[in-house]
Amino acid sequence: MTSDSDDLLSRLGDPERAELRDFAVRLASRAAENAARMRHEGVEVAALKSSQTDVVTAADRATEAWIREELAHERPEDGFFGEESDPTVGTSGLTWVIDPIDGTVNYLYELDNWAVSVAVVVGPPDPAQWQTVAGAVASPAMGDVYAAANGLGATHNGRELALAPATELAQALIGTGFAYAAAKRTAQAESVTRLIGQVRDIRRFGAASLDLCAVATGRLDGYYESGLHPWDHAAGALVAREAGAFVGGLAGARESREFLYACNPGLAALFERALIQVGAADAAELSG
Ligand code: IPD
């Protein structure tokens, strides 16, 4: 984090952080309701992105456009960094990091595990350098809204979250995800085959923001993935951290496109060792 971001973060008092969190909740919840209505009306693929399996729907674009308009109206001085449109730099030092529909493939197939993810950060739009001030993840099909503000804790549907004590690695339920490029996801799947015998079981739910919130609620004991974009994890990582989880990269690095893992801090050393041993981050070198 740069010292400018440090200064800005320390100047934001608890009331301002709480206000940003509440605004993020309103934005994410209303956007999620709109997206759910569009889902009900029918969804088609609008375009392919990085590969034939990396799709964008008209609802992804419309949801991001709606959020962008609300932000331009309510917070014109802030920057914007979203999955589906060009970034803008603001003058306030705050930037909104948006995934309009995380879990797009689930959304397309009418599976419930998708969410709107809204975060506001200080610093450049790079998870290695930013500090997340507040965020919300709204999953209308599952009836879940997660929210957090830096230093103020995390909530699930208004109820405060606090991690239960760590479980052993052999008893841990671990979530992960796969990139869209075939070579990369194949390498990721190979590392899963090496990990699955060391843990309780593996889950692939299909929305990184919700995987991180699942660590916060204890629905998963741990989660890891390489190749995530900043908007996939900005809000979910804050929810997990504020619930008491460890979130970061390997060997003391911050979470990044290269690697992110999250779990109870009591499990972190063993989990990290297992992830390195199975080569979970090796696919980071492959594009996609
Ligand atoms: C994807 C989901 C998925 C993860 C992928 C992400 P998208 O985001 O979060 O769980 O495994 O790496 O790209 O494309 O649905 O916004």
Side-chain angles (χ1 to χ4, degrees):
M1 191 173 61
T2 64
S3 57
D4 283 355
S5 327
D6 252 333
D7 286 352
L8 179 55
L9 186 65
S10 58
R11 271 188 275 122
L12 289 169
D14 289 357
E16 285 138 306
R17 295 175 193 211
E19 200 179 301
L20 287 164
R21 176 199 58 209
D22 295 347
F23 183 58
V25 169
R26 288 198 298 279
L27 262 189
S29 303
R30 286 179 56 205
E33 274 167 35
N34 292 344
R37 184 176 31 75
M38 285 185 266
R39 182 68 200 76
H40 190 66
E41 288 163 2
V43 165
E44 279 175 29
V45 171
L48 301 178
K49 298 198 287 183
S50 62
S51 81
Q52 291 223 326
T53 50
D54 187 4
V55 297
V56 58
T57 70
D60 290 77
R61 290 174 174 168
T63 304
E64 181 155 316
W66 182 85
I67 293 173
R68 215 172 169 151
E69 265 173 43
E70 289 293 303
L71 284 168
H73 188 249
E74 298 290 327
R75 303 200 51 96
E77 290 169 359
D78 297 348
F80 184 89
F81 187 67
E83 180 170 14
E84 311 298 348
S85 54
D86 292 337
T88 45
V89 178
T91 53
S92 66
L94 292 171
T95 300
W96 292 84
V97 182
I98 306 296
D99 193 339
I101 298 180
D102 182 34
T104 302
V105 174
N106 285 343
Y107 182 81
L108 185 65
Y109 279 76
E110 215 167 1
L111 298 170
D112 288 348
N113 215 80
W114 59 271
V116 176
S117 173
V118 171
V120 59
V121 306
V122 291
D126 169 1
Q129 295 186 62
W130 75 34
Q131 202 54 289
T132 312
V133 182
V137 178
S139 166
M142 302 205 296
D144 289 323
V145 178
Y146 304 89
N150 192 310
L152 300 183
T155 57
H156 171 214
N157 292 340
R159 187 175 51 84
E160 274 188 35
L161 290 172
L163 283 197
T167 184
E168 289 171 36
L169 187 61
Q171 300 299 320
L173 186 63
I174 302 298
T176 191
F178 301 113
Y180 288 108
K184 184 161 179 153
R185 59 196 295 133
T186 302
Q188 289 173 313
E190 282 164 4
S191 75
V192 170
T193 64
R194 294 189 283 270
L195 183 65
I196 196 165
Q198 300 184 40
V199 298
R200 181 189 293 273
D201 208 346
I202 298 283
R203 293 290 182 269
R204 196 292 196 243
F205 293 133
S209 58
L210 291 171
D211 291 331
L212 285 157
C213 293
V215 171
T217 56
R219 289 172 175 173
L220 287 175
D221 296 305
Y223 163 72
Y224 73 96
E225 187 161 345
S226 79
L228 290 174
H229 293 281
W231 45 78
D232 294 320
H233 60 80
L238 184 69
V239 171
R241 274 199 181 100
E242 288 293 326
F246 167 86
V247 183
L250 297 175
R254 292 281 305 266
E255 65 270 28
S256 67
R257 189 92 203 261
E258 201 178 338
F259 202 72
L260 173 153
Y261 80 99
C263 63
N264 192 300
L267 187 64
L270 279 177
F271 189 31
E272 174 160 338
R273 201 177 311 153
L275 290 169
I276 292 169
Q277 187 229 328
V278 303
D282 295 357
E285 289 149 26
L286 300 167
S287 61

